[in-house]
Amino acid sequence: PPGKPTLYGSVTRRGLSSDGVPDIVASEGFVAGEVTKKSILISCPHENVSTKFLAPYTSFCRIHQKSITCLDISSGGGLGVSTSTDGTMKIWQAANGEIRVRASGLDVLCCLWHSCSPVAMTLVRLQGSSSAWEMRCFLCLYEHSLWFHAGILDTAIVDRGRNVLSCSRDGTARLWDCGKSACLGIIADCGSPINGIAVGTADNSLNLGTPEKPPSEREVGTEGKILLLAREDKKLQGVGLQSRQPVFLFVGSDAFNCCTFLSSTYVLAGTQDGNIYQLDVRNTNAPIQVIHRSGAPVLSLLPYRDGFIASQGDGTCFIVQQDLDYVLDLTEADCDPVYKVASWEKEIYTCCRDGIVRRYQLADL
């Protein structure tokens, strides 16, 4: 419990029922509740807390040979795309992990599915070049400064996808035109690496500022949008996407690694020291809530139903939902970092340093 000593206990399997469900008993101070073949509900009545531990429905061990750095699931849920430190990008069947497309010999950073087409975008370093990056399938991102070997750390799609956003270790966030493979402008120049970005529709009451000059006709869907910047210098920044004007600046406890929108009003951001901040963008003087489950870095955040999914550097991956009186822990990553989480309906996919893609079935929620 926050601010209190850690409580330790144990669970023991005494046997199996006729249909293969374990008979579980917990040590003093803990209670083993509902038990199935894939989940165990453990509670601590004295602290009034409960956690359901959920095992993967399926694990895909043969997609990559090394650490998986990023993954995404297509809008129809049929295909996955992932990148790895083994120098490959692969597209695979989400149901069984069967590989459909593979590309090798790449210095791959991140990947995502385009929102309105069956095409995956990946960011790679061009072979034989230390000063250029490429977004395969759509556009070339040559304009991020690589004076300090800065790489592109995250991307986001604007509206229906004619424009995309990128952020980099060079401290800039840029807007790109997919059709012409051209940079439409620098949205922000922070002077500090930007580890993650997210774009969302702003609340009507928020003042996003006015552009200093009319937007390019190639700029589509940026009006009324706000861009979140998770910065290395412990700052979470909001910028008007069309105006390029700062909207808010929040200082956290450590470097921000990731951020996401829960709604047009509320955002989440995770830090290197394990804090997850929930903020109201209309008043960012103080966080509405700070969630701290461990001191491990928060590596990814994903909105899910009326809550969110978070993954951390110690292998923790958990789901918080307003309609559940317990936290749902996605297990089996052990102590390896879970770098990214993707979802489609009731299916949750995670990628991990151990090289395994895990698929969780949440049909019982």
Side-chain angles (χ1 to χ4, degrees):
K4 299 180 180 180
T6 299
L7 301 177
Y8 293 92
S10 63
V11 291
T12 305
R13 192 188 76 172
R14 295 184 296 193
L16 288 173
S17 66
S18 57
D19 56 356
V21 176
D23 176 21
I24 299 292
V25 62
S27 60
E28 184 178 357
F30 295 87
V31 175
E34 179 188 5
V35 179
T36 71
K37 292 182 180 180
K38 288 290 185 180
S39 66
I40 301 174
L41 179 63
I42 302 293
S43 61
C44 180
H46 180 69
E47 296 294 340
N48 194 30
V49 293
S50 299
T51 299
K52 176 179 278 191
F53 298 90
L54 182 66
Y57 183 81
T58 310
S59 295
F60 304 136
C61 305
R62 298 183 179 181
I63 296 176
H64 292 284
Q65 302 303 310
K66 292 184 179 180
S67 172
I68 304 173
T69 55
C70 192
L71 92 166
D72 198 15
I73 302 297
S74 64
S75 58
L79 294 173
V81 60
S82 55
T83 59
S84 171
T85 56
D86 62 12
T88 66
M89 184 277 293
K90 296 181 180 180
I91 296 174
W92 33 274
Q93 292 286 152
N96 55 22
E98 180 182 347
I99 297 171
R100 298 285 298 276
V101 177
R102 71 182 71 208
S104 59
L106 306 174
D107 188 358
V108 188
L109 290 176
C110 55
C111 59
L112 72 162
W113 284 100
H114 190 272
S115 57
C116 298
S117 68
V119 180
M121 298 194 298
T122 59
L123 291 165
V124 302
R125 189 193 298 270
L126 295 177
Q127 291 292 333
S129 171
S130 63
S131 61
W133 295 82
E134 178 180 340
M135 182 176 279
R136 288 280 169 92
C137 306
F138 281 101
L139 64 153
C140 295
L141 308 185
Y142 293 119
E143 298 186 35
H144 277 291
S145 169
L146 292 185
W147 185 258
F148 296 105
H149 301 285
I152 298 167
L153 299 178
D154 199 9
T155 59
I157 294 175
V158 181
D159 203 35
R160 296 182 62 83
R162 284 182 58 180
N163 296 156
V164 296
L165 292 152
S166 65
C167 67
S168 170
R169 289 192 183 96
D170 67 9
T172 65
R174 297 173 186 258
L175 181 70
W176 302 86
D177 174 20
C178 290
K180 291 193 174 182
S181 299
C183 180
L184 296 175
I186 297 175
I187 306 300
D189 190 349
C190 303
S192 174
I194 304 172
N195 297 320
I197 55 175
V199 63
T201 301
D203 185 86
N204 291 333
S205 64
L206 205 61
N207 181 10
L208 298 182
T210 304
E212 294 181 355
K213 60 181 180 179
S216 162
E217 62 179 15
R218 303 292 299 182
E219 186 172 320
V220 180
T222 58
E223 186 177 4
K225 301 290 196 310
I226 184 172
L227 178 66
L228 292 182
L229 308 173
R231 295 168 42 167
E232 182 71 19
D233 58 0
K234 303 183 182 181
K235 296 174 182 176
L236 178 72
Q237 186 175 4
V239 178
L241 185 53
Q242 188 176 86
S243 70
R244 285 38 165 185
Q245 301 297 316
V247 177
F248 71 83
L249 190 67
F250 174 79
V251 180
S253 57
D254 205 347
F256 281 98
N257 291 330
C258 52
C259 54
T260 192
F261 282 85
L262 292 178
S263 67
S264 62
T265 303
Y266 298 113
V267 300
L268 287 178
T271 62
Q272 184 69 13
D273 62 357
N275 284 327
I276 299 174
Y277 292 90
Q278 181 179 334
L279 301 169
D280 184 335
V281 295
R282 298 166 300 181
N283 179 17
T284 57
N285 292 328
I288 293 175
Q289 185 179 14
V290 181
I291 299 169
H292 185 97
R293 298 198 75 215
S294 74
V298 181
L299 302 179
S300 73
L301 291 166
L302 179 71
Y304 189 72
R305 298 188 184 180
D306 60 350
F308 66 91
I309 310 173
S311 70
Q312 295 185 265
D314 60 356
T316 302
C317 187
F318 62 93
I319 303 176
V320 175
Q321 293 284 281
Q322 292 181 4
D323 59 347
L324 295 179
D325 57 2
Y326 56 82
V327 173
L328 185 64
D329 254 291
L330 307 182
T331 68
E332 281 198 12
D334 200 6
C335 294
D336 282 305
V338 178
Y339 292 119
K340 199 77 172 181
V341 181
S343 69
W344 182 74
E345 294 187 347
K346 296 181 179 180
E347 309 287 335
I348 306 295
Y349 296 80
T350 65
C351 68
C352 185
R353 188 174 64 182
D354 61 12
I356 299 174
V357 173
R358 293 177 173 88
R359 172 181 162 224
Y360 299 85
Q361 183 88 39
L362 303 187
D364 58 332
L365 292 186

